[in-house]
Amino acid sequence: MEITNNLTKRTKSIKVYLFENEKATIEEKAAATGVTASEYLRSCGLKRVLTTKPSADLVTIRSAAGMAKSELMMLLHLVKETDHPQLAQPVEKAIAFVDKTIAAAYNLNFDKDNSY
């Protein structure tokens, strides 16, 4: 939690409308954790990460990349079965590129050493 020194006072507020039972629940949870209701709500609001629903375009990109990877994996299998090692490396690079594209679409950190 962010520590503020005693010389700095919070001056901004957000008004939240609650039902009586919601207010009581927040106050109970705050008391159970040994903080004020304000500190409890700050903690909940500042630490929680909410995700947004992906756009239709992003879903389409993810789907297309997944299908491309599937096709490339089948091609790589055929390349290895037919003993064409000179074709394996370009296919493996294409698969790694698709993996990076999928990772980017999901906002994942892709380990560059974890590629073909």
Side-chain angles (χ1 to χ4, degrees), residues 82-101:
T82 57
D83 197 29
H84 288 91
Q86 70 276 13
L87 295 176
Q89 187 177 11
V91 174
E92 289 170 344
K93 284 184 177 182
I95 292 169
F97 180 74
V98 170
D99 281 341
K100 288 178 183 177
T101 302

Side-chain angles (χ1 to χ4, degrees), residues 32-98:
T33 57
V35 297
T36 65
S38 292
E39 183 62 26
Y40 179 80
L41 290 173
R42 272 193 302 276
S43 178
C44 291
L46 295 173
K47 287 186 177 182
R48 185 172 295 153
V49 176
L50 301 176
T51 57
T52 59
K53 182 178 176 183
S55 69
D57 290 338
L58 186 56
V59 171
T60 301
I61 290 168
R62 290 177 184 169
S63 176
M67 287 187 288
K69 181 177 179 178
S70 178
E71 295 292 326
L72 288 166
M73 294 297 287
M74 286 190 288
L75 179 60
L76 183 60
H77 177 72
L78 288 173
V79 164
K80 289 180 177 180
E81 277 195 359
T82 57
D83 197 29
H84 288 91
Q86 70 276 13
L87 295 176
Q89 187 177 11
V91 174
E92 289 170 344
K93 284 184 177 182
I95 292 169
F97 180 74
V98 170

